[in-house]
Amino acid sequence: MSARQLIHSDQQSPPKQGFFSAALDELHLAELMGLITRSTTADVKRALNARKPSLADFAALISPAAEPEILAIANRAEKLTRQRFGLGVQLFAPLYLSNTCANECTYCGFSMSNKINRLTLSPKQIDAEISALKQKGFDHILLVTGETRRVGVNYLEAAIKQIRPHFSQVNMEVQPLDADEYLRLRQAGLDGVLVYQETYDKAAYLEHHLRGNKRDFNYRLDTPDRLGQAQVHRIGLGALLGLGEWRLDSLLMASHLRHLQGRYWRSRFSLGFPRIRPAAGEFEPSVHISDKQLLQLVAAWRIFDPDLELSLSTRESPEFRLHA
């Protein structure tokens, strides 16, 4: 698929079959990157005034040409946020069930070769975590584990059933699963799943994922499709900022989102903006995104899809979160 086809694909009725990995195989990444770098000030202004921004408009909003227009972009995004969400902010807390992992990833503190203590919580320990989180006033939680089949669907199903009565919303960020496994977890009380692709650039992905099931690029990429098949209520996307070219990853993720929205109308979608931070293993990202560029990216997403739920980590500074 050419850049021209990508530009218009979100304005047509999408095909009803096929996972996103098949669509990605048809895209020419260098051509798409050119779409971003060739954007002009006129393209940015057109995107700001678009009633329903296209993928081409999104490319302009995240382009270098848009950096001088950051104030106008931020003001437009703020207006849309107030219209859709008011002044409300939803907080959630992670509940780490296990840091055991069978993957070797260059950037991750959980990576199997890192010499850290490993623990998988018992039901009694989970109860203690529930009590601590409730005392702090949290009512929405995110279950987090490393990626290993030793902490598989049976363990997760039991944990969700134990945790669900105590919280209004239970989401999780764990290893990718099959559609029938997601269905089991949804029936146990799971509300949503976050699954970050890390990077949509397959070459960069394989460079950083050295061993384990996570090295299967397409299986991870098609996880949101399997979540949609299982009718999971909330599907969370994200690219790890610092692995690949963040503008290209973001444009491909926008295409991924439109693919999913055209197929899985029962699900809602959210987006996270994780930036690589220091962790065990002392990984240094080769690609950096500044605070100003991250603000540009967040604002561009709000303009592209005003109804999308956007999440910022508390790893970002309070000052940045206040202004973003």
Side-chain angles (χ1 to χ4, degrees):
M1 185 183 296
S2 68
R4 182 178 180 85
Q5 289 171 311
L6 178 67
I7 289 171
H8 297 290
S9 65
D10 61 325
Q11 299 172 350
Q12 302 170 353
S13 298
K16 298 302 181 183
Q17 298 180 4
F19 282 4
F20 187 68
S21 59
L24 184 62
D25 284 341
E26 297 179 4
L27 296 176
H28 302 286
L29 302 191
E31 188 176 352
L32 295 178
M33 193 63 205
L35 180 66
I36 297 169
T37 58
R38 290 193 300 271
S39 292
T40 65
T41 301
D43 294 325
V44 176
K45 292 185 182 300
R46 182 199 66 235
L48 277 170
N49 293 316
R51 187 179 63 85
K52 186 177 180 182
S54 66
L55 288 165
D57 292 325
F58 181 72
L61 291 171
I62 63 174
S63 72
E67 291 187 5
E69 304 295 328
I70 184 65
L71 183 59
I73 293 171
N75 287 340
R76 173 70 173 150
E78 181 182 20
K79 181 178 179 180
L80 290 169
T81 299
R82 295 287 180 90
Q83 288 175 349
R84 297 304 199 277
F85 299 99
L87 297 175
V89 175
Q90 184 181 101
L91 299 177
F92 65 87
L95 197 169
Y96 285 86
L97 295 173
S98 176
N99 65 350
T100 301
C101 193
N103 291 321
E104 184 74 31
C105 306
T106 60
Y107 54 86
C108 183
F110 283 5
S111 190
M112 62 187 297
S113 64
N114 288 335
K115 306 302 181 183
I116 61 173
N117 293 327
R118 306 288 180 168
L119 174 67
T120 299
L121 298 186
S122 67
K124 183 177 180 179
Q125 290 170 319
I126 291 175
D127 276 337
E129 293 295 315
I130 292 171
S131 178
L133 288 167
K134 295 302 290 185
Q135 288 177 16
K136 292 183 179 294
F138 287 104
D139 197 37
H140 295 184
I141 62 165
L142 176 69
L143 307 181
V144 183
T145 72
E147 297 195 10
T148 171
R149 283 289 173 173
R150 293 172 59 187
V151 184
V153 67
N154 291 336
Y155 176 88
L156 295 169
E157 183 179 38
I160 290 168
K161 288 180 177 179
Q162 179 182 355
I163 293 165
R164 177 73 233 199
H166 304 280
F167 298 93
S168 294
Q169 189 177 114
V170 177
N171 300 315
M172 72 179 193
E173 185 178 355
V174 305
Q175 64 195 346
L177 301 170
D178 293 336
D180 61 332
E181 294 174 315
Y182 285 127
L183 179 59
R184 280 180 58 184
L185 299 183
R186 179 175 68 81
Q187 292 170 342
L190 180 68
D191 291 296
V193 176
L194 279 63
V195 54
Y196 295 156
Q197 183 59 27
E198 317 301 15
T199 177
Y200 286 79
D201 183 333
K202 190 171 185 177
Y205 184 95
L206 295 176
E207 179 183 346
H208 293 290
H209 301 94
L210 307 179
R211 287 189 292 166
N213 290 335
K214 193 170 182 179
R215 190 167 167 81
D216 190 335
F217 177 86
N218 282 349
Y219 184 74
R220 188 173 191 89
L221 183 63
D222 289 333
T223 302
D225 278 290
R226 297 193 300 276
L227 288 165
Q229 288 181 330
Q231 298 182 19
V232 171
H233 177 62
R234 179 177 284 101
I235 300 173
L237 305 178
L240 183 56
L241 302 172
L243 285 190
E245 214 306 317
W246 64 267
R247 291 185 174 94
L248 179 59
D249 272 337
S250 299
L251 180 57
L252 290 168
M253 189 159 53
S255 179
H256 195 179
L257 175 67
R258 288 293 186 249
H259 162 94
L260 297 167
Q261 289 173 327
R263 288 160 173 78
Y264 309 112
W265 59 268
R266 292 181 177 86
S267 297
R268 297 177 61 184
F269 298 91
S270 66
L271 193 75
F273 300 90
R275 278 199 287 185
I276 291 177
R277 288 292 186 261
E282 300 181 353
F283 174 79
E284 286 293 331
S286 57
V287 179
H288 293 271
I289 177 171
S290 68
D291 283 358
K292 182 178 179 180
Q293 289 170 330
L294 181 55
L295 177 61
Q296 176 188 355
L297 179 60
V298 174
W301 272 108
R302 172 56 66 228
I303 294 170
F304 178 63
D305 195 321
D307 296 318
L308 194 62
E309 296 181 6
L310 304 179
S311 297
L312 284 175
S313 169
T314 51
R315 292 187 180 93
E316 301 296 345
S317 69
E319 181 181 11
F320 180 84
R321 284 183 276 122
L322 178 64
H323 289 92

